[in-house]
């Protein structure tokens, strides 16, 4: 017997390239865009290992757990790393970045997470990008959680390596991701003797064997189901309109912040300032002595479909995350989440 998910004609290189072009349009970029065949950690690590090496001096901005990971990768590449860490309940400022660049004029690489879904904050990339351009450093951006929830404009902001994933605000599959690459970034990688080659982490392989070859022959068999799911995801965003999708995420996040303050029970936004709160997910702080993981478990027992999660790692006991991923960016969903959380909180 046949199965619609299994017995598909092979995905052609031409079809693959068309999907890449549609992803590039979401980023308003004329840079090369490569769709990588794995979750976003693949291009996130590949871009760092391709562009950084023993001669690199990096400013690594830490506003959440992914920033910490990027610093680890940079050090593993042999780079000299200067960390700029801010509390996870806030955002970094362009002034802080300028100060760090002035203190270390040798910095030639800056890594930043746009929005941290894990902590619920978002950073002012446009202003930071201006500072990085003035300094002349290569700018690496993790926009996995921000794309489709808020503007992502690598060309306009001077981002040289911009990584996105489809599984969050785009409401798509987790098994494919993408990276836009500037000419400066390609040149940096080509000059880096430590850049991965003939490796699943190699962006240069895609440059030479895919882009420079006219996108006629794929490097390897594509993740067909994930690519078709990505195409459907992009089509849904195109049909609704990117601005409308972003507005829906902003409205859901604002409704969550306002609703939790009106709810009572001691919950409060984890990110102090609304201007620093990411529209992709709203994080909440539980009252002292109230276990966040327990509250989430009780809320999900009443409705397992709710987009709720406890914080990761050390935050599991004190943070609740209300995810606004894709179709969950809906004020009706927000109301259901808040109702379930209120019922799950311990009574005095």
């Amino acid at each position: 017997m046949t199965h619609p998910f299994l017995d598909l004609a092979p995905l052609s290189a031409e079809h693959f390239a068309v999907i890449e072009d549609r992803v590039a349009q979401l980023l308003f970029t004329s840079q090369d865009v490569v769709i990588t065949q794995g979750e976003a950690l693949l291009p996130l690590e590949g871009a760092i290992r391709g562009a950084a090496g023993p001669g690199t001096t990096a400013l690594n901005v830490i506003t959440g757990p992914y920033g910490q990971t990027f610093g680890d990768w940079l050090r593993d590449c042999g780079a000299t790393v200067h960390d700029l860490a801010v509390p996870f309940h806030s955002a970094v400022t362009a002034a802080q970045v300028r100060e760090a660049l002035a203190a270390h004029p040798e910095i030639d690489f800056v890594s930043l997470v746009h929005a941290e879904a894990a902590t619920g904050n978002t950073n002012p990339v446009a202003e930071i990008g201006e500072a990085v351009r003035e300094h002349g450093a290569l700018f690496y951006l993790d926009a996995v959680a921000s794309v489709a929830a808020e503007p992502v404009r690598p060309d306009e902001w001077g981002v040289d390596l911009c990584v996105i994933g489809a599984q969050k605000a785009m409401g798509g599959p987790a098994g494919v991701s993408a990276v836009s690459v500037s000419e400066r970034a390609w040149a940096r990688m080509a000059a880096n003797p430590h850049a991965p080659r003939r490796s699943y982490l190699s962006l240069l392989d895609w440059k030479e064997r895919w882009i420079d070859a006219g996108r006629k022959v794929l490097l390897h068999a594509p993740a067909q189901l994930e690519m078709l799911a990505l195409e459907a995801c992009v089509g849904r965003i195109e049909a609704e309109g990117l601005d409308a999708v972003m507005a829906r995420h902003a409205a859901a996040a604002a409704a969550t912040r306002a609703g939790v303050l009106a709810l009572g029970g001691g919950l409060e936004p984890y990110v102090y300032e609304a201007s620093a709160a990411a529209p992709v997910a709203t994080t909440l702080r539980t009252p002292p002595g109230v276990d966040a993981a327990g509250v989430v478990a009780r809320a999900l027992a009443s409705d397992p479909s709710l987009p709720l999660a406890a914080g990761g790692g050390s935050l599991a006991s004190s943070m609740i995350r209300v995810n606004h991923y894709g179709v969950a960016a809906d004020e009706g969903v927000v109301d259901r989440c808040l109702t379930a959380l209120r019922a799950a909180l311990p009574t005095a």
Side-chain angles (χ1 to χ4, degrees), residues 81-225:
V81 182
H82 300 281
D83 288 324
L84 171 56
V86 302
F88 289 179
H89 57 68
S90 63
V92 72
T93 68
Q96 289 172 308
V97 171
R98 288 182 187 277
E99 182 179 348
L101 293 172
H104 300 282
E106 70 277 15
I107 286 171
D108 59 5
F109 185 97
V110 175
S111 51
L112 175 71
V113 179
H114 188 181
E116 285 267 11
T119 51
N121 56 25
T122 190
N123 294 300
V125 181
E127 293 86 350
I128 292 169
E130 182 178 351
V132 175
R133 280 198 307 274
E134 291 172 2
H135 189 79
L138 204 74
F139 192 12
Y140 163 100
L141 183 70
D142 172 354
V144 173
S146 55
V147 64
E150 54 188 306
V152 177
R153 302 275 186 135
D155 292 14
E156 183 180 326
W157 298 342
V159 178
D160 296 289
L161 292 158
C162 181
V163 177
I164 66 168
Q167 72 269 32
K168 291 189 167 67
M170 287 179 67
V176 286
S177 46
V179 54
S180 67
V181 187
S182 73
E183 288 301 322
R184 287 201 323 150
W186 283 132
R188 177 76 71 93
M189 286 187 274
N192 180 9
H194 302 279
R197 302 307 308 269
R198 299 299 184 265
S199 163
Y200 211 59
L201 288 172
S202 176
L203 294 180
L204 282 175
D205 287 357
W206 282 95
K207 165 70 168 167
E208 295 179 0
R209 298 169 58 194
W210 172 244
I211 295 171
D212 292 348
R215 299 195 298 178
K216 301 297 185 185
V217 179
L218 289 161
L219 274 66
H220 47 72
Q224 174 141 310
L225 291 177

Side-chain angles (χ1 to χ4, degrees), residues 11 14-24 33 35 227-228 230-231 234:
L11 188 75
E14 180 182 11
H15 193 172
F16 192 104
V18 168
I19 298 172
E20 275 188 340
D21 291 341
R22 291 170 71 182
V23 170
V33 170
I35 295 179
M227 288 295 295
L228 295 175
L230 175 61
E231 182 178 41
V234 172

Side-chain angles (χ1 to χ4, degrees), residues 295-324:
V295 172
V296 169
R298 291 189 292 274
L300 290 177
S302 68
D303 185 350
S305 70
L306 295 175
L308 297 172
S314 63
L315 298 173
S317 63
S318 60
M319 177 193 284
I320 295 171
R321 193 170 73 237
V322 183
N323 295 322
H324 311 306

Side-chain angles (χ1 to χ4, degrees), residues 19-33:
I19 298 172
E20 275 188 340
D21 291 341
R22 291 170 71 182
V23 170
Q25 290 171 10
L26 289 180
L27 300 176
F28 300 91
T29 184
S30 60
Q31 297 177 3
D32 291 327
V33 170

